[in-house]
Amino acid sequence: MNGRLAARLAAMPLSGRIGFALVLFWLVVAVAGPLTAPHPVGKFVDEEVFSPASAQHWLGSDYLGRDVLSRLMWGARYTVLLALGAAALAVATGTSIALFAAIRGGLVDEVISRAMDTLISIPSKIFALVLVAAFGSSLALLMLIAAFTYIPGNYRIARALAVNLVGMDFVQVARARGEGAIHIAWREVLPNMIHPLLADMGLRFVFIVLLLSGLSFLGLGVQPPHADLGSLVRENISGLPQGASAILSPALAIATLTVGANLLIDALKGGGEA
Amino acid sequence: MAAPAANAPVWLGLTRVVLQRIASALLTLLLVSIVIFAAASLLPGDAAQEVLGQSATPEQVAALRHEMGLDQPAVTRYLDWLAALLGGDPGRSYIADMQVTELIGARLVNSLSLAGITALVSVALALTIGIVSAINRGSKLDRALNIVTLSLVALPEFLIATVFVLLFSVKLVWLPSIAMVSPEATWSEMLRSMALPVACLTFVVSAQMARLTRAAVADQLDRPYVEMARLKGVTFRRIILFHVLPNAAGPVLNAIALSLSYLMGGALIIETIFSFPGLASLMVNAVTSRDMPLLQACAMIFCAAYLALILIADIVAILANPRLRS
């Protein structure tokens, strides 16, 4: 597996390798960042607000005189882990329902597909806003809302893949052998659609990062005292006129994360062919 | 197989397919209304309690619940709401104590003009980028445009907006960072104040549109008829203008409609940042204040607009591709 990954990386265009490096960087920051953060996340460490980068504060201080680098490391953890959790949940749920619908077929498939078509015709941000208004925005709820918003999109792709596979000879043979639905879904169909599914999960991850940081930027996402990257941009918006590092660095962090993920997925799919 | 002479049945079949699509879209819209109503009405809290606050007596709350119809079963409330919505009366705002239609009216016009101008600018920009990069496939220009549009697709709207504000309002002081749209404003004032929101939304929308356009045109360039035309000695210009573009029109229009649906998500952020008095910023306010009648009405307008765009894309695809007609 490692050898194959290295081989694929070597075969990738430069943009893909840059994307891989950026994604890896942010994953490491999300996991290890808070452990190495130079200052406590909520502590006021600087007399001055919006101070520029210095030896003590590598990325300067924020609108309350807190250390931007430390807050950025924590913010990255919320953004990356929430979005990863939500993307995994969306893909696991969407694909399970899709496998169920594709293998059962008939009326079950039709009813589920119709319901998913309905959900997919609600623009994702609008849907997420309605859900936030109805249920609130604790961290767990935000993850569930983001996951729920992107289940229909994954369902559509997974079902199209699964329906194709279910019609193939080896699945028919497995059915004739008398295998159960779970065996067919888990052992016959799923292994053959895992690559496009992983690519789809990557895309969902990007969408969810954008959705969650957009919500946080509007003040409707991650609530204080927690702060993800979107909240960091929002709370430091008054530093915009002086181009403070407190607002530019979280904005740049989101951009490098999502652009990196997009470049990587594009390269894995085979580059500029689409 | 129908003979070419049988023109009427072809048109009949086409009308039937289009009517079917419209009916299916209307059914979807009905189902969407159930989802929106369910999500917004089955809240854990009690709207009457929330409007009156903690100090209200139980009798007051009960009276208001009755007045708001909250003591009715959910199905009755849904049907009442739907009937009122169809009659053009989405109810009364909890917070502003105004009819929702009054709140929405002027803002809908503002949002539509923002969307209209953005659509004009972004379609022109995206088609140019898409066609140029498709023609120069594999060149340095194409690869550069691919990376640029791919990155723009991945950027959050608020990032583009903050960079634009920093550049054009703060550093260059060319344009206002707050969009004041008042009825007294002259045309030039209006355009000036809308310039930044339009520019940001154009960025958000045209990247995706350009990518889809490039894919559609590139797909046509691979077809045998292009090679045939080339072998006949037709000039490249002529091939693009008279052979490729008419054939790519269907998928390209489809791409335009699909990308324009991104406008809605983008508008939520952009209108809020620039304090643009439009429908999207109204909806964000409704979420903040948990003003459910207003929120439901805004969400339904956005969903209807989204479905309409998808429907148009669908119908255009059918008209452009005879194979989809049956």
Side-chain angles (χ1 to χ4, degrees):
Chain A
M1 186 70 200
N2 276 331
R4 269 181 56 205
L5 187 69
R8 284 198 93 157
L9 271 178
M12 253 185 224
L14 180 65
S15 60
R17 274 178 276 167
I18 294 176
F20 178 76
L22 287 171
V23 171
L24 193 68
F25 172 76
W26 284 114
L27 279 179
V28 171
V29 170
V31 174
L35 304 175
T36 54
H39 298 275
V41 64
K43 199 173 174 206
F44 309 110
V45 291
D46 198 343
E47 305 264 291
E48 254 177 86
V49 299
F50 293 132
S51 64
S54 63
Q56 285 102 26
H57 309 292
W58 288 3
L59 292 175
S61 66
D62 76 349
Y63 76 116
L64 290 176
R66 294 172 294 192
D67 181 51
V68 171
L69 179 63
S70 310
R71 291 188 66 74
L72 191 70
M73 286 169 157
W74 278 97
R77 166 171 283 190
Y78 285 108
T79 296
V80 172
L81 295 189
L82 270 181
L84 260 188
L89 198 60
V91 169
T93 318
T95 305
S96 307
I97 302 175
L99 285 170
F100 178 70
I103 290 171
R104 269 298 180 81
L107 190 64
V108 175
D109 181 28
E110 228 163 89
V111 170
I112 297 179
S113 293
R114 184 79 230 186
M116 290 294 179
D117 272 350
T118 303
L119 292 179
I120 220 172
S121 4
I122 307 177
S124 50
K125 282 211 181 80
I126 307 280
F127 196 31
L129 277 184
V130 171
L131 292 177
V132 164
F135 297 106
S137 49
S138 69
L139 289 176
L141 273 173
L142 276 177
M143 190 162 95
L144 284 178
I145 287 173
F148 193 68
T149 309
Y150 285 105
I151 285 175
N154 173 262
Y155 169 84
R156 188 182 257 190
I157 286 174
R159 183 184 165 276
L161 291 167
V163 162
N164 259 337
L165 290 167
V166 165
M168 286 191 160
D169 289 344
F170 65 91
V171 178
Q172 301 300 331
V173 169
R175 278 213 167 134
R177 273 204 313 267
E179 303 284 7
I182 293 182
H183 173 94
I184 291 179
W186 190 252
R187 303 297 293 273
E188 309 285 344
V189 179
L190 192 61
N192 286 299
M193 52 194 264
I194 200 79
H195 278 132
L197 271 186
L198 285 178
D200 187 58
M201 187 171 136
L203 274 184
R204 307 276 148 212
F205 173 74
V206 173
F207 293 154
I208 291 172
V209 169
L210 294 178
L211 175 73
L212 287 178
S213 41
L215 282 177
S216 292
F217 180 79
L218 291 174
L220 301 167
V222 176
Q223 300 296 325
H226 310 293
D228 70 348
L229 295 173
S231 333
L232 292 183
V233 176
R234 175 191 172 81
E235 64 184 24
N236 291 305
I237 197 87
S238 56
L240 185 61
Q242 66 234 63
S245 135
I247 180 168
L248 295 183
S249 29
L252 204 65
I254 300 173
T256 48
L257 172 63
T258 51
V259 171
N262 241 13
L263 289 177
L264 177 64
I265 296 163
D266 187 59
L268 285 176
K269 276 195 304 197
E273 257 136 64
Chain B
M1 288 288 128
N7 254 337
V10 171
W11 278 107
L12 218 62
L14 196 60
T15 320
R16 217 187 57 220
V17 173
V18 168
L19 284 179
Q20 265 173 6
R21 294 299 163 105
I22 294 176
S24 155
L26 287 176
L27 176 66
T28 309
L29 190 60
L30 184 71
L31 294 173
V32 164
S33 76
I34 296 178
V35 175
I36 300 274
F37 184 83
S41 301
L42 305 177
L43 338 158
D46 183 331
Q49 182 78 56
E50 222 163 275
V51 170
L52 292 173
Q54 291 300 320
S55 57
T57 64
E59 289 77 30
Q60 284 172 320
V61 174
L64 187 65
R65 277 177 65 88
H66 182 69
E67 200 185 310
M68 291 164 98
L70 291 177
D71 49 357
Q72 306 280 327
V75 178
T76 320
R77 271 157 54 202
Y78 168 69
L79 291 176
D80 284 347
W81 174 71
L82 187 66
L85 197 64
L86 290 174
D89 173 28
R92 231 180 142 67
S93 156
Y94 290 167
I95 310 297
D97 199 28
M98 277 166 83
Q99 291 303 111
V100 167
T101 40
E102 279 176 66
L103 284 168
I104 288 179
R107 283 174 169 254
L108 185 59
V109 177
N110 287 344
S111 277
L112 282 177
S113 41
L114 180 65
I117 299 176
T118 308
L120 280 180
V121 180
S122 55
V123 166
L125 185 69
L127 289 191
T128 314
I129 296 177
I131 293 171
V132 164
S133 45
I135 292 175
N136 300 301
R137 252 185 317 169
S139 69
K140 275 209 172 112
L141 178 71
D142 176 38
R143 271 180 292 163
L145 283 173
N146 176 43
I147 304 273
V148 169
T149 51
L150 191 64
S151 310
L152 278 178
V153 171
L155 287 184
E157 294 91 357
F158 65 82
L159 182 73
I160 296 172
T162 12
V163 170
F164 272 42
V165 168
L166 186 63
L167 263 179
F168 294 109
S169 317
V170 177
K171 295 278 181 238
L172 297 171
V173 209
W174 284 353
L175 294 163
S177 67
I178 291 200
M180 301 291 275
V181 184
S182 67
E184 299 94 57
T186 61
W187 269 101
S188 66
E189 277 172 350
M190 239 294 298
L191 285 181
R192 248 176 73 85
S193 72
M194 279 173 83
L196 275 183
V198 167
C200 295
L201 275 177
T202 302
F203 258 71
V204 173
V205 177
S206 18
Q208 186 66 21
M209 210 188 285
R211 291 183 72 76
L212 294 171
T213 305
R214 179 192 175 280
V217 175
D219 176 52
Q220 292 296 324
L221 283 172
D222 284 337
R223 300 285 170 95
Y225 74 83
V226 173
E227 199 173 343
M228 180 69 199
R230 226 175 245 179
L231 290 174
K232 275 190 345 194
V234 183
T235 59
F236 192 62
R237 235 178 104 92
R238 219 185 136 73
I239 293 180
I240 295 294
L241 287 178
F242 294 98
H243 295 253
V244 169
L245 285 187
N247 278 302
V252 167
L253 282 173
N254 202 333
I256 291 175
L258 286 179
S259 313
L260 285 181
S261 58
Y262 282 80
L263 261 178
M264 289 161 212
L268 286 173
I269 310 267
I270 302 288
E271 285 192 2
T272 309
I273 291 183
F274 292 103
S275 315
F276 184 83
L279 197 61
S281 54
L282 186 67
M283 180 170 174
V284 173
N285 291 342
V287 175
T288 318
S289 57
R290 306 208 354 153
D291 190 348
M292 288 305 167
L294 182 58
L295 178 65
Q296 286 170 332
C298 291
M300 283 309 293
I301 293 177
F302 279 116
C303 290
Y306 185 71
L307 274 172
L309 277 172
I310 305 274
L311 179 66
I312 292 170
D314 221 17
I315 291 178
V316 165
I318 292 171
L319 292 178
N321 185 349
R323 272 169 298 180
L324 292 177
R325 282 177 201 173
S326 50

